[in-house]
Amino acid sequence: MHSSLKLDQLYVTVDILILTEKNGVLNLLLSKRSHPPAESRWALPGRFISLGDSAEDTVKDLLREMLPVKQYYFEQLYTFTRPERDPRGRVLSIAYLAIIPWQHLQPVLNHSDITLKCFSVSTSEATLSLVAPEGNPFPESELAFDHAHIIRTGITRLQGKIEYTDIGFHFLNTPQAFFLSEMQRIYEAVLGRAQDASNFRRFLRSRYEDTGKIIPSEITEKKGRGRPAVLYSWDPQY
């Protein structure tokens, strides 16, 4: 579709950053393009918006077709409008950030008809670092279109929002029963740096437990010399 575009017409697409936290590492899902332009290059999954659909409807349809998972979160990221971003013509991209917990994503990725692959991802200032599924560094120059710029923008936005919103909780495999150590692992994966355990727990308790956004639900059996671990639940509707 849209192998050639009219030069005097404006087109709009959606592109989706699908993120998950796997073993303490932030992962991004990419798909390999099967047709020109940028054929055989890795890219963010995306689609042109039809005249009868909204951008959000297009995102939902694309996620449903590519990844049949029930639990996910998404929000609009930014609109990318550089005239030269697509060699076919004048194409705007409305980028979205989607978060899928790893335990919900992993069984789907094992299906043979799923073409998306997990790349570990991190950013440092203006540098984007990607590692391919085989463990090899993947140069951002090999990404299609301006997707390296979109990814950097999305990760930077996520890193900022995790400090003052509830967005990090959407990475949890089980929001109704999690340990604070799980949230620390998620923060470390997103921010790309270690967190002091004591300071991090004080931060979570002050911002979320004291305000009732997370609730201690169960004290587990004590293991080792430390305190008994406490299971928490998070209410996204609070």
Side-chain angles (χ1 to χ4, degrees):
M1 180 181 179
H2 294 290
S3 58
S4 62
L5 305 178
K6 296 180 180 179
L7 295 179
D8 59 348
Q9 187 167 326
L10 183 67
Y11 299 84
V12 184
T13 68
V14 296
D15 288 299
I16 315 173
L17 284 83
I18 305 174
L19 296 169
T20 190
E21 179 269 324
K22 174 186 175 185
N23 298 326
V25 177
L26 190 64
N27 277 249
L28 170 71
L29 269 63
L30 298 174
S31 62
K32 182 174 286 189
R33 290 182 58 81
S34 58
H35 52 80
E39 185 175 8
S40 298
R41 287 196 172 191
W42 290 93
L44 297 169
R47 173 175 292 174
F48 283 87
I49 302 174
S50 67
L51 291 177
D53 288 330
S54 68
E56 286 197 357
D57 288 339
T58 305
V59 170
K60 291 176 182 178
D61 288 344
L62 185 56
L63 286 173
R64 181 169 56 249
E65 294 172 18
M66 299 187 75
L67 290 168
V69 296
K70 293 183 178 180
Q71 182 177 333
Y72 66 87
Y73 168 84
F74 77 99
E75 64 177 45
Q76 190 175 133
L77 172 62
Y78 192 76
T79 302
F80 296 85
T81 64
R82 288 192 301 184
E84 71 281 4
R85 62 173 308 275
D86 191 315
R88 293 169 293 184
R90 192 71 174 95
V91 181
L92 278 59
S93 171
I94 304 175
Y96 279 79
L97 183 69
I99 297 171
I100 305 177
W102 175 244
Q103 285 186 5
H104 297 267
L105 181 61
Q106 184 181 22
V108 174
L109 291 178
N110 290 332
H111 293 173
S112 59
D113 57 341
I114 299 297
T115 59
L116 293 167
K117 300 295 183 183
C118 274
F119 289 69
S120 68
V121 58
S122 62
T123 60
S124 176
E125 297 180 351
T127 302
L128 174 66
S129 175
L130 289 165
V131 177
E134 301 79 15
N136 303 317
F138 183 81
E140 64 175 81
S141 59
E142 294 299 314
L143 291 169
F145 306 113
D146 58 347
H147 288 188
H149 176 55
I150 295 177
I151 295 168
R152 283 195 299 270
T153 302
I155 301 291
T156 300
R157 176 74 63 85
L158 175 63
Q159 289 172 335
K161 292 193 70 172
I162 201 171
E163 300 277 17
Y164 66 90
T165 73
D166 298 353
I167 196 168
F169 289 89
H170 293 286
F171 286 96
L172 287 169
N173 294 307
T174 312
Q176 297 76 30
F178 66 93
F179 297 108
L180 296 186
S181 58
E182 293 178 63
M183 282 305 304
Q184 181 175 339
R185 189 183 68 222
I186 289 168
Y187 270 68
E188 290 177 340
V190 169
L191 296 174
R193 60 177 184 270
Q195 304 288 305
D196 178 79
S198 297
N199 290 337
F200 183 78
R201 281 161 173 73
R202 281 194 292 269
F203 161 74
L204 281 188
R205 287 171 178 146
S206 173
R207 181 178 291 270
Y208 296 107
E209 184 176 357
D210 293 350
T211 58
K213 290 185 176 181
I214 63 173
I215 302 170
S217 58
E218 180 183 345
I219 298 178
T220 64
E221 182 179 351
K222 181 177 179 180
K223 295 181 180 180
R225 300 176 59 186
R227 297 179 180 179
V230 180
L231 276 171
Y232 285 81
S233 62
W234 171 62
D235 182 3
Q237 304 301 323
Y238 183 84

mmCIF file of all heavy atoms in Angstrom, residues 122-123 159 187-194:
data_model
loop_
_atom_site.group_PDB
_atom_site.id
_atom_site.type_symbol
_atom_site.label_atom_id
_atom_site.label_comp_id
_atom_site.label_asym_id
_atom_site.label_seq_id
_atom_site.Cartn_x
_atom_site.Cartn_y
_atom_site.Cartn_z
ATOM 1 N N SER A 122 18.438 1.687 24.811
ATOM 2 C CA SER A 122 18.776 2.678 25.826
ATOM 3 C C SER A 122 19.218 3.946 25.118
ATOM 4 O O SER A 122 19.603 3.929 23.951
ATOM 5 C CB SER A 122 19.877 2.177 26.769
ATOM 6 O OG SER A 122 21.070 1.933 26.047
ATOM 7 N N THR A 123 19.145 5.059 25.825
ATOM 8 C CA THR A 123 19.595 6.330 25.267
ATOM 9 C C THR A 123 20.531 7.010 26.249
ATOM 10 O O THR A 123 20.411 6.858 27.463
ATOM 11 C CB THR A 123 18.418 7.279 24.981
ATOM 12 O OG1 THR A 123 17.724 7.542 26.208
ATOM 13 C CG2 THR A 123 17.463 6.683 23.972
ATOM 14 N N GLN A 159 11.404 8.513 30.111
ATOM 15 C CA GLN A 159 12.298 8.719 31.246
ATOM 16 C C GLN A 159 11.861 9.906 32.092
ATOM 17 O O GLN A 159 11.984 9.887 33.319
ATOM 18 C CB GLN A 159 13.733 8.924 30.746
ATOM 19 C CG GLN A 159 14.361 7.655 30.187
ATOM 20 C CD GLN A 159 15.699 7.908 29.530
ATOM 21 O OE1 GLN A 159 15.995 9.016 29.076
ATOM 22 N NE2 GLN A 159 16.526 6.881 29.447
ATOM 23 N N TYR A 187 12.276 0.906 36.949
ATOM 24 C CA TYR A 187 12.860 2.247 36.914
ATOM 25 C C TYR A 187 14.293 2.192 36.398
ATOM 26 O O TYR A 187 14.709 3.031 35.592
ATOM 27 C CB TYR A 187 12.829 2.875 38.306
ATOM 28 C CG TYR A 187 11.580 3.665 38.612
ATOM 29 C CD1 TYR A 187 10.347 3.031 38.749
ATOM 30 C CD2 TYR A 187 11.619 5.043 38.772
ATOM 31 C CE1 TYR A 187 9.191 3.745 39.038
ATOM 32 C CE2 TYR A 187 10.470 5.765 39.056
ATOM 33 C CZ TYR A 187 9.264 5.118 39.193
ATOM 34 O OH TYR A 187 8.121 5.834 39.473
ATOM 35 N N GLU A 188 15.045 1.226 36.852
ATOM 36 C CA GLU A 188 16.442 1.109 36.415
ATOM 37 C C GLU A 188 16.523 0.804 34.925
ATOM 38 O O GLU A 188 17.397 1.324 34.216
ATOM 39 C CB GLU A 188 17.147 0.037 37.245
ATOM 40 C CG GLU A 188 17.361 0.449 38.700
ATOM 41 C CD GLU A 188 17.986 -0.635 39.549
ATOM 42 O OE1 GLU A 188 17.928 -1.820 39.147
ATOM 43 O OE2 GLU A 188 18.527 -0.310 40.631
ATOM 44 N N ALA A 189 15.609 -0.033 34.431
ATOM 45 C CA ALA A 189 15.605 -0.366 33.008
ATOM 46 C C ALA A 189 15.273 0.857 32.162
ATOM 47 O O ALA A 189 15.895 1.103 31.124
ATOM 48 C CB ALA A 189 14.605 -1.487 32.740
ATOM 49 N N VAL A 190 14.294 1.639 32.600
ATOM 50 C CA VAL A 190 13.870 2.818 31.839
ATOM 51 C C VAL A 190 14.908 3.926 31.910
ATOM 52 O O VAL A 190 15.264 4.534 30.890
ATOM 53 C CB VAL A 190 12.505 3.324 32.349
ATOM 54 C CG1 VAL A 190 12.176 4.690 31.748
ATOM 55 C CG2 VAL A 190 11.409 2.316 32.030
ATOM 56 N N LEU A 191 15.413 4.198 33.109
ATOM 57 C CA LEU A 191 16.344 5.310 33.295
ATOM 58 C C LEU A 191 17.774 4.966 32.905
ATOM 59 O O LEU A 191 18.593 5.861 32.686
ATOM 60 C CB LEU A 191 16.307 5.777 34.755
ATOM 61 C CG LEU A 191 14.961 6.351 35.225
ATOM 62 C CD1 LEU A 191 15.004 6.631 36.727
ATOM 63 C CD2 LEU A 191 14.612 7.620 34.461
ATOM 64 N N GLY A 192 18.075 3.668 32.846
ATOM 65 C CA GLY A 192 19.413 3.259 32.454
ATOM 66 C C GLY A 192 20.465 3.456 33.524
ATOM 67 O O GLY A 192 21.649 3.573 33.219
ATOM 68 N N ARG A 193 20.042 3.492 34.777
ATOM 69 C CA ARG A 193 21.008 3.651 35.872
ATOM 70 C C ARG A 193 20.445 2.996 37.132
ATOM 71 O O ARG A 193 19.240 2.866 37.307
ATOM 72 C CB ARG A 193 21.298 5.130 36.141
ATOM 73 C CG ARG A 193 20.100 5.960 36.540
ATOM 74 C CD ARG A 193 20.497 7.394 36.855
ATOM 75 N NE ARG A 193 19.372 8.186 37.338
ATOM 76 C CZ ARG A 193 18.564 8.888 36.558
ATOM 77 N NH1 ARG A 193 18.752 8.897 35.250
ATOM 78 N NH2 ARG A 193 17.569 9.587 37.083
ATOM 79 N N ALA A 194 21.365 2.598 38.010
ATOM 80 C CA ALA A 194 20.978 1.938 39.248
ATOM 81 C C ALA A 194 20.311 2.921 40.201
ATOM 82 O O ALA A 194 20.589 4.125 40.175
ATOM 83 C CB ALA A 194 22.198 1.309 39.910
#
